[in-house]
Amino acid sequence: MPAAPKPDILAAFEAAKGFMPVDEGLALYGAGVEAGELGLPLLEVGTYCGRSTLLLADAARQAGVTALTVDHHRGSEEQQPGWDYHDPETVDPEVGLMDTLPAFRRTLHKAGLEEHVVALVGRSPQVAKIWNSPLGLVFVDGGHTDEHATADYEGWAPHVAEGGLLVIHDVFPEPEDEFTGQAPYRVYLRALESGAFTETSVTGSLRVLRRTGAGI
Ligand code: SAH
Ligand code: MG
């Protein structure tokens, strides 16, 4: 049996705003628990309101490591007002821009997982540029343009330790299945072609790859 989160964490996951279905969440959790055994932090790109962060946080708690999560909290292109994935509740009325940080903090607090997470609030490439330590797992679930997905891969994949996991969300090999573009699929192909990663599991649009070589 693969590791599964406790019912209260699963309930918090299902109650949180976000875009990840349960089967993919369980796969992410399993990857987090496995990677946690390396004793290195687990890092997510794309916090949004903390739905997937909860699972990495619970996996990190089990392993005694820290979950890190990066987001500028101003939303991706497709989440802006007027777009399909917009949620008006995520807009800060005073500033007039999206701000998902308060919802994220509530999600974590309610689940009792605050102490296991460090939130990095900023643009992913800017944080990656000053990052210099190995990671047990990198979960790429940020912006879906080629510019963003490529920058996330180039900025974070090199920090995945040997034996660690690179998890990519929203990988849609068939153009007719995708909702927000195929940039994550292109990044996934690039990771495989680099020779540094080997696929270990596929669940819906979630791909788990293991770092088995150098070369990125
Ligand atoms: N992992 C979340 C969903 C993330 S949605 C879940 O499963 O619920 C994608 C998030 O990526 C958005 O919150 C958006 O603000 C963030 N994002 C997009 N481009 C970014 C960038 N360049 N730097 C930091 N965050 C970014
Ligand atoms: Mg996603």
Side-chain angles (χ1 to χ4, degrees):
M1 275 282 283
K6 290 193 187 70
D8 59 321
I9 301 297
L10 200 54
F13 169 80
E14 292 195 80
K17 278 186 200 294
F19 307 101
M20 181 166 286
V22 172
D23 60 336
E24 296 179 352
L26 294 177
L28 176 66
Y29 179 80
V33 168
E34 188 188 328
E37 287 171 16
L38 293 174
L40 296 168
L42 316 176
L43 180 136
E44 166 178 74
V45 182
T47 316
Y48 193 60
C49 300
R51 184 175 166 101
S52 49
T53 318
L54 279 182
L55 300 176
L56 288 179
D58 193 37
R61 165 168 65 182
Q62 272 206 38
V65 301
T66 293
L68 299 148
T69 183
V70 184
D71 202 310
H72 48 48
H73 286 281
R74 295 296 187 206
S76 297
E77 281 77 358
E78 72 277 8
Q79 296 162 352
Q80 300 304 319
W83 293 83
D84 283 359
Y85 291 88
H86 182 62
D87 178 343
E89 285 177 10
T90 61
V91 175
D92 173 348
E94 194 176 320
V95 173
L97 294 173
M98 278 180 68
D99 182 2
T100 51
L101 188 56
F104 160 67
R105 300 208 71 200
R106 276 181 228 122
T107 303
L108 266 195
H109 176 75
K110 277 189 221 156
L113 289 168
E114 274 186 329
E115 66 187 279
H116 304 284
V117 179
V118 172
L120 299 160
V121 180
R123 294 172 54 249
S124 163
Q126 207 173 340
V127 183
K129 208 169 165 187
I130 52 169
W131 190 262
N132 190 21
S133 83
L135 298 166
L137 176 147
V138 166
F139 173 47
V140 178
D141 195 20
H144 282 177
T145 62
D146 276 295
E147 181 198 347
H148 288 132
T150 301
D152 291 341
Y153 175 75
E154 291 179 352
W156 294 107
H159 297 295
V160 177
E162 176 85 29
L165 301 175
L166 174 66
V167 184
I168 307 176
H169 196 221
D170 303 302
V171 171
F172 295 106
E174 304 300 331
E176 59 270 28
D177 295 338
E178 60 88 7
F179 300 98
T180 56
Q182 284 186 294
Y185 175 57
R186 286 188 278 276
V187 157
Y188 155 78
L189 291 180
R190 188 170 158 191
L192 288 177
E193 282 158 12
S194 74
F197 293 97
T198 310
E199 185 162 274
T200 69
S201 79
V202 176
T203 308
S205 74
L206 193 95
R207 300 287 189 277
V208 180
L209 313 180
R210 186 188 312 283
R211 181 141 194 192
T212 47
I216 40 163

